[in-house]
Amino acid sequence: MTTTREQFEQRLAQLRRDTQELTRKDFAHLAGVAEKTIRNWLDTDPEFAGTARTGARRVQLFPFDEGAQWVRKQLFGADERAPEVSPGPRLAAEPHRMPHTPGERWRWVDMARLRGVTPTAVRLLAAEYRDHPERPFPPRDEFDRTCDADEVSDWFLWYDTTRPGYTGPRPAEIAAESGAKDTRRNEVIRRLNTALDGGETLTSRALAEELGVSTDVAARYLRQAAEEVLPKRGLISRSQIAERLPTSARLTPEQRRERVKTLLKRKSAPAPVVTVADTPYYNETAVAELLAPPA
């Protein structure tokens, strides 16, 4: 995964201002992954998938807090030290003054670029702190709608230093703690590549014994490693095969799964190349041939 904890918390804070429930698209945005990855995660966690309600146009809607925690765990594992959602854009990794030249004035977009957030996030934060009794956000000029850069820089230095609305450690502190987890993740990626080179089936239970962790933790490590390694090897899972069925068929998800089962029972169907985390993976080229319409 390339999404950092800091990026995740920033996106989450922005979403909290705009919605009370989360969709699969929101999950993908939070995690920085494709929506099909979210579908795969949900397929492996039917208990959480069952918390969704069906909204307009049959869109699945998940409870905000439960959904955010679920995505966080998919990315980083269980971490009780994860900070609670803040009421504004993410903190800087460390407090510092935003660089500017004397007399410079900033628009929302200028502040957003320096903070690494969206202009909307800055605008909403400014509105929230407009009437703050001690630290009101610097006012905008009524004509050109800009703020004094020096005042804004001072304000954000206060914001980053006092951390209003935040609990728990800084994102940078959590990221430092997660270094060990990143090392373990790289270890699992190397282990998976070794298994693939040797045609070895790598189960969650076997990896758990090797690493000295629970089967659930090993399964999570394997899923994350598989998402990075297997596409590069030209391998796809059964659920991904279902996604590649022609859209013109207008099949429901259940019908797609049943269709794949039928196709894989054919004598000409490809056999799984490898099983990872108890999920069989197939050669992508062979699957394409299987799904190709008759000549």
Side-chain angles (χ1 to χ4, degrees):
M1 300 290 179
T2 58
T3 299
T4 66
R5 292 173 181 272
E6 191 175 1
Q7 289 170 330
F8 174 85
E9 298 300 337
Q10 170 204 344
R11 295 167 187 167
L12 186 60
Q14 181 183 345
L15 279 173
R16 183 174 288 276
R17 295 176 178 276
D18 300 331
T19 184
Q20 295 181 339
E21 294 177 294
L22 296 173
T23 65
R24 291 186 180 192
K25 185 175 181 180
D26 292 329
F27 288 161
H29 171 65
L30 279 172
V33 299
E35 287 189 53
K36 68 178 181 180
T37 299
I38 299 299
R39 289 196 293 271
N40 292 340
W41 288 354
L42 289 170
D43 285 344
T44 61
D45 192 350
E47 182 176 350
F48 173 74
T51 64
R53 73 176 184 87
T54 302
R57 299 183 180 179
R58 301 184 65 80
V59 172
Q60 283 187 299
L61 299 172
F62 296 83
F64 192 101
D65 291 331
E66 290 85 344
Q69 185 63 15
W70 180 77
V71 176
R72 184 185 285 114
K73 287 182 178 179
Q74 301 302 314
L75 289 172
F76 312 115
D79 188 348
E80 295 181 357
R81 295 197 66 210
E84 294 180 4
V85 178
S86 77
R90 65 179 172 88
L91 295 164
E94 295 296 338
H96 66 280
R97 287 183 58 82
M98 298 158 67
H100 61 279
T101 58
E104 188 175 354
R105 300 189 66 83
W106 285 336
R107 301 164 297 163
W108 297 141
V109 67
D110 300 316
M111 302 175 207
R113 175 177 51 78
L114 290 169
R115 298 291 298 185
V117 299
T118 66
T120 298
V122 175
R123 177 178 59 79
L124 292 173
L125 182 67
E128 182 173 332
Y129 282 87
R130 181 173 50 224
D131 300 320
H132 191 278
E134 298 177 3
R135 281 285 186 168
F137 196 89
R140 289 203 300 168
D141 185 276
E142 60 179 316
F143 296 108
D144 64 12
R145 315 305 288 172
T146 62
C147 299
D148 182 271
D150 190 59
E151 293 179 359
V152 172
S153 179
D154 283 343
W155 190 90
F156 271 109
L157 180 62
W158 166 80
Y159 182 74
D160 290 332
T161 303
T162 60
R163 310 169 73 237
Y166 285 79
T167 61
R170 282 185 173 276
E173 293 167 352
I174 294 179
E177 283 191 0
S178 69
K181 294 181 180 178
D182 290 339
T183 299
R184 175 56 59 86
R185 174 176 170 273
N186 291 333
E187 179 184 352
V188 174
I189 288 175
R190 287 193 295 271
R191 179 66 180 87
L192 177 56
N193 275 311
T194 299
L196 293 173
D197 291 339
E200 173 191 356
T201 290
L202 185 57
T203 66
S204 302
R205 184 179 297 276
L207 182 66
E209 292 177 356
E210 292 180 21
L211 299 181
V213 298
S214 71
T215 303
D216 288 343
V217 170
R220 183 170 64 249
Y221 282 141
L222 267 180
R223 286 196 299 270
Q224 293 174 349
E227 288 168 6
E228 178 169 333
V229 173
L230 298 184
K232 298 176 183 177
R233 297 268 186 153
L235 299 174
I236 61 175
S237 66
R238 178 174 293 191
S239 62
Q240 291 173 310
I241 295 176
E243 294 169 3
R244 301 192 180 198
L245 290 173
T247 56
S248 58
R250 297 184 180 179
L251 301 175
T252 66
E254 179 61 29
Q255 290 172 328
R256 285 178 174 273
R257 287 192 290 269
E258 291 301 319
R259 177 59 175 158
V260 169
K261 288 181 182 179
T262 300
L263 289 171
L264 291 177
K265 290 178 181 178
R266 291 180 177 178
K267 292 183 179 180
S268 59
V273 175
V274 68
T275 298
V276 176
D278 312 309
T279 299
Y281 285 82
Y282 299 80
N283 181 279
E284 187 172 12
T285 301
V287 168
E289 294 176 356
L290 177 68
L291 301 181

